[in-house]
Amino acid sequence: MAVEGLQRAADLGEEELALLIGFERGLARQPLVEALLEKRRGREPHPVRGASTRLLRLYAPWALDLTAAAAALLTAAGDERAQRRFAAWALPPEPGSRAKRAAAEGVSPERVRQVVRSAGARIRKAFDEAPGPLSWAVRTLRSQLGGVTTTDLMADLLTELGAQVTPAAELLPWLAGPYAAVPGRPPWLALEPRRALRLTAECLAADGGVRPMADVENELTGLMINTDQLAPWLAASGAIVVHDLAVVVSGPLVDVVERLLDAHSSPRTVEQISRDLAAGGRAADEMGLAAALRSHRFARTKLGAVCLPGWDEEHRRAAKRAPRRRPAIPARNVKLAGIRSPGPERLWLRVRVDQDVLEGGQAEIPATLAQGLGLAQGGRRTFTSRWGPVSLAHQGSQPTRNSVRAVAMAAGARLNDTLLLGFSPLGDLALEVLPTTGGGHQGDEWESGSPPSLEIFEGDAP
């Protein structure tokens, strides 16, 4: 009896589900059907996907046939000839295909534009009025692919959505975009291919070709690149990601190697440098790389790795002192004296190495620091050091520093230590690690006093 009762309850439940799904069928948005469609995708456990698929096949079979829905929508373009021309001229993502097919039919480019524009407008109007689930598939495609994607990712997602057969496989990307091939970047597709190329090139060219990834992500926000696609897109654009930095590998090989060493902030073997170049799509021949490494801009460690001049000794000293907890700089070695210091002028900033710093967080800096370094409103500067670059920006009401995680890790800083950063208006950066002494301060601050500046002497400045 108990089993029969449960079966009856299940039957009643499915009857009510069928009633609700039937009610939704004529609606533009079908939340219940869309929820089942979402559950049957590959991200859910197998029993959930199986149950969702069974319910859809029983009570909403139309929702699984995107090909039929797309074919019906295509009829809005007009008669058979209009549909054929629209499909031939508007849907293929390959550049130049529209012009070639138009020429083959003896039609002028202007006529092609008119056909595509008018037929496309009718199809989009029909799409806006059509009941689901086509709108769900288009929204899913757009959100999953973002503004820049690849043909492989698109094909995989279309298969997952059940739209791997034409015309759905062609019409859905057009409705979601349209997506078009990026010139010179096979197999990449983008909503705005030329804009994607231009903005990416401009972004990567700034700051000498070494950019914090936080800056890159911020500046390329308008391209709507999904996070998991950003690094592959940068690699296709001639850059690699090194310790939260985007490094351009195009240009003179000597400059590229210097960028890579600066980003890694540690010596690299020739094999490692070759792998970095290959990751950015640049294959350097053995003789060419050997010639570049003979430049006076590079040196060799005792083990034969490539480094910048002076690094070998610096890293040897750092490795010796890293395990020891050195005392903080004594008070007698700290002098409050405006913003000037003996020798090259530097402005000093203390950064507490807290969890946010180790996770690559940004933070506000005193306005006096930005003013002293000549950082105007809307500006950005990158300061280089042996441990890597640090960028300051003044994009909003308060100036900020970008992530210092890379330099902190390279310099051997640990949680609750303090980074002492000495910024020079000339663009270089001095750095010292002050071990934990108990207490400490929160966030970034000047040492003390007013105006907020710090001068270090008696050989303690890094």
Side-chain angles (χ1 to χ4, degrees):
M1 293 294 292
V3 173
E4 293 178 359
L6 289 174
Q7 184 61 52
R8 177 58 180 165
D11 292 341
L12 288 174
E14 291 204 7
E15 288 176 7
E16 293 174 344
L17 179 63
L19 177 64
L20 294 173
I21 290 176
F23 173 76
E24 284 188 352
R25 182 168 185 176
L27 303 179
R29 294 295 298 270
Q30 302 176 2
L32 184 55
V33 173
E34 291 173 8
L36 290 172
L37 287 168
E38 196 66 46
K39 293 296 182 184
R40 73 182 290 267
R41 296 178 62 201
R43 293 166 178 76
E44 300 293 342
H46 180 72
V48 174
R49 299 198 307 271
S52 301
T53 301
R54 184 182 68 82
L55 291 172
L56 286 167
R57 285 174 177 168
L58 285 173
Y59 306 119
W62 71 87
L64 299 176
D65 192 1
L66 293 177
T67 298
L73 193 62
L74 191 59
T75 61
D79 58 22
E80 184 178 347
R81 186 176 68 169
Q83 294 178 38
R84 176 175 53 80
R85 287 184 169 179
F86 175 80
W89 294 338
L91 299 185
E94 298 84 3
S97 60
R98 177 185 298 179
K100 292 177 182 178
R101 298 191 185 198
E105 291 197 20
V107 180
S108 69
E110 179 56 34
R111 180 56 183 160
V112 170
R113 285 191 289 271
Q114 291 175 359
V115 170
V116 171
R117 188 183 308 115
S118 59
R122 290 193 294 271
I123 288 176
R124 289 197 181 276
K125 183 176 184 297
F127 170 70
D128 292 339
E129 298 172 352
L134 211 56
S135 60
W136 167 83
V138 170
R139 290 195 309 274
T140 301
L141 196 69
R142 177 66 176 266
S143 64
Q144 293 291 314
L145 296 179
V148 179
T149 188
T150 67
T151 53
D152 288 343
L153 287 174
M154 179 175 286
D156 290 344
L157 185 54
L158 287 170
T159 299
E160 183 180 317
L161 295 176
Q164 69 271 27
V165 181
T166 56
E170 295 178 341
L171 190 57
L172 262 65
W174 183 84
L175 289 167
Y179 287 88
V182 179
R185 296 279 190 277
W188 288 89
L189 307 171
L191 298 178
E192 300 176 277
R194 298 193 181 280
R195 180 168 177 262
L197 289 174
R198 177 177 57 81
L199 291 182
T200 303
E202 291 174 353
C203 173
L204 293 176
D207 296 337
V210 180
R211 304 296 314 281
M213 282 298 291
D215 290 356
V216 172
E217 292 178 10
N218 183 58
E219 293 176 23
L220 298 185
T221 298
L223 298 181
M224 298 178 291
I225 305 176
N226 287 344
T227 302
D228 60 345
Q229 287 302 293
L230 182 56
W233 168 249
L234 294 179
S237 303
I240 65 170
V241 179
V242 177
H243 303 311
D244 299 327
L245 297 170
V247 183
V248 177
V249 296
S250 60
L253 193 54
V254 174
D255 294 341
V256 173
V257 174
E258 188 171 40
R259 288 186 208 125
L260 289 171
L261 292 173
D262 189 39
H264 281 288
S265 298
S266 61
R268 304 285 286 170
T269 66
V270 176
E271 292 75 14
Q272 288 173 327
I273 294 173
S274 296
R275 286 199 297 270
D276 285 343
L277 294 171
R282 178 168 185 169
D285 65 277
E286 193 172 316
M287 293 181 61
L289 182 56
L293 296 179
R294 286 196 292 269
S295 169
H296 68 279
R297 291 156 67 176
F298 307 118
R300 295 280 184 160
T301 67
K302 293 180 179 180
L303 297 178
V306 182
C307 63
L308 296 179
W311 267 19
D312 195 23
E313 181 64 20
E314 284 187 21
H315 281 74
R316 185 182 63 80
R317 291 199 306 267
K320 282 187 175 182
R321 69 174 181 253
R324 297 198 298 267
R325 308 301 289 174
R326 296 180 291 110
I329 297 174
R332 62 183 179 85
N333 286 340
V334 177
K335 178 181 177 183
L336 302 175
I339 61 171
R340 297 192 177 275
S341 63
E345 179 181 285
R346 290 192 186 276
L347 302 181
W348 297 88
L349 178 70
R350 284 177 175 266
V351 178
R352 173 74 176 277
V353 184
D354 56 16
Q355 195 61 41
D356 185 60
V357 167
L358 295 179
E359 292 176 357
Q362 304 182 26
E364 294 182 348
I365 60 173
T368 312
L369 176 59
Q371 293 166 5
L373 295 171
L375 183 62
Q377 177 74 37
R380 183 188 304 275
R381 288 197 67 185
T382 297
F383 299 80
T384 58
S385 75
R386 293 299 188 194
W387 306 110
V390 172
S391 295
L392 305 181
H394 198 174
Q395 305 295 333
S397 59
Q398 181 73 15
T400 60
R401 64 154 176 81
N402 287 324
S403 171
V404 295
R405 176 181 179 274
V407 296
M409 301 278 291
R414 290 174 280 188
L415 185 65
N416 295 324
D417 284 352
T418 297
L419 290 181
L420 186 58
L421 305 177
F423 296 91
S424 167
L426 299 178
D428 64 288
L429 175 70
L431 183 149
E432 179 67 86
V433 178
L434 307 182
T436 307
T437 57
H441 62 273
Q442 298 296 321
D444 299 0
E445 62 182 32
W446 296 86
E447 174 68 9
S448 60
S450 179
S453 56
L454 174 67
E455 177 178 293
I456 299 181
F457 57 99
E458 295 185 10
D460 285 313

